[in-house]
Amino acid sequence: MGRKFIDCREFPSEMKCSVAITADTESELLEVAVQHAVAVHGHQDTPELRDQIRGAIKDGTPPEVAPRRAA
């Protein structure tokens, strides 16, 4: 079982968030990423948000260089 990550730098944001989060399990990563999205970005913790975050989780570790942001 390898690491999993989600990288906020991939998403459009007025604050240009540079946070990347890694964890050993998808469930742990999902919980932390949801907390970040709610506390920092003002999202509501909804099933739709969780699905969106779950879909953005990748295997491995985040790249050192910022990825291109989604349009």
Side-chain angles (χ1 to χ4, degrees):
M1 175 171 67
R3 301 282 285 171
K4 300 205 178 276
F5 76 95
I6 189 164
D7 196 333
C8 240
R9 299 174 296 179
E10 293 181 0
F11 302 97
S13 167
E14 288 182 14
M15 64 188 326
K16 307 237 188 301
C17 186
S18 65
V19 170
I21 305 166
T22 62
D24 287 337
T25 67
E26 184 173 310
S27 61
E28 182 180 24
L29 180 57
L30 179 63
E31 290 307 315
V32 174
V34 168
Q35 290 175 24
H36 172 75
V38 170
V40 175
H41 297 288
H43 293 287
Q44 295 293 317
D45 183 353
T46 64
E48 294 80 17
L49 175 66
R50 287 176 175 267
D51 286 345
Q52 181 181 11
I53 291 173
R54 197 176 287 112
I57 292 174
K58 297 178 181 172
D59 292 326
T61 56
E64 188 173 324
V65 176
R68 296 179 71 175
R69 292 185 187 273

